[in-house]
Amino acid sequence: MKEIVDVLGTAASSKVERVAARAAFLRRRADIWKAIQEERFPAIYVSSEMKFVGAPRKTAIRCDFLLANKVALGKKYAADHISDLAQRDLLFRVLRDREVFPNRTGSKFYCCPKCTAKLYECVSAKVFRYIDNAKWKAAIEGHAR
């Protein structure tokens, strides 16, 4: 999972560092996706200087995986099979939660404020092709008040 964090953390770094981080992520991407599918997550995950434990760490990893794919693949992201599967996986979880708890308010658009914040990063970056990212972003912003 380190490769995910490295790709996302090198946005402001030199081109050499960005290219190296992307190459390392792309080499390990299939293995990372397999670990996500098999629910093999580290006990603690640190993303954007936030520490995630328990269920939010799974959401954070899934969201960061999508964001890292978008960064690493660039224009190829839209047609990528693994990215498509990862989108469907995360969206299924979000939509299932929204169906079970349709009247959530506050910063709990998804299940909790931490997960909602990570989901907000995804819709802000327009990583999903199956939903209206702008609509979800507006809904999260409206619920965050």
Side-chain angles (χ1 to χ4, degrees):
M1 307 288 166
K2 177 189 179 304
E3 293 84 0
I4 296 171
V5 175
D6 290 347
V7 166
L8 298 177
T10 58
S13 300
S14 71
K15 184 174 182 177
V16 172
E17 290 173 315
R18 287 193 314 270
V19 169
R22 288 176 184 169
F25 171 74
L26 291 172
R27 277 193 305 274
R28 293 253 314 119
R29 189 171 78 106
D31 294 332
I32 295 169
W33 172 239
K34 185 176 180 186
I36 291 170
Q37 286 180 303
E38 294 173 354
E39 298 272 326
R40 290 185 288 118
F41 296 99
I44 298 169
Y45 179 69
V46 179
S47 169
S48 306
E49 299 182 20
M50 276 187 73
K51 182 178 170 182
F52 292 88
V53 294
R57 86 185 182 289
K58 295 178 181 183
T59 300
I61 290 169
R62 285 184 172 97
C63 288
D64 283 356
F65 181 72
L66 282 172
L67 292 165
N69 273 292
K70 187 162 185 178
V71 168
L73 295 170
K75 293 178 183 179
K76 295 178 183 176
Y77 174 78
D80 181 67
H81 182 65
I82 291 176
S83 299
D84 184 65
L85 292 173
Q87 287 178 52
R88 290 175 188 219
D89 176 61
L90 181 57
L91 286 173
F92 172 77
R93 293 166 191 283
V94 174
L95 292 170
R96 180 182 61 193
D97 187 75
R98 299 280 303 152
E99 189 69 26
V100 173
F101 304 104
N103 298 318
R104 292 208 179 219
T105 59
S107 58
K108 289 186 174 184
F109 177 84
Y110 184 16
C111 60
C112 67
K114 276 191 163 185
C115 290
T116 299
K118 289 308 288 185
L119 185 64
Y120 183 77
E121 289 179 34
C122 285
V123 296
S124 295
K126 300 177 182 168
V127 299
F128 299 115
R129 72 179 214 185
Y130 296 102
I131 62 159
D132 183 341
N133 288 283
K135 184 178 176 181
W136 276 34
K137 182 179 177 188
I140 292 171
E141 289 169 346
H143 288 261
R145 293 181 192 146

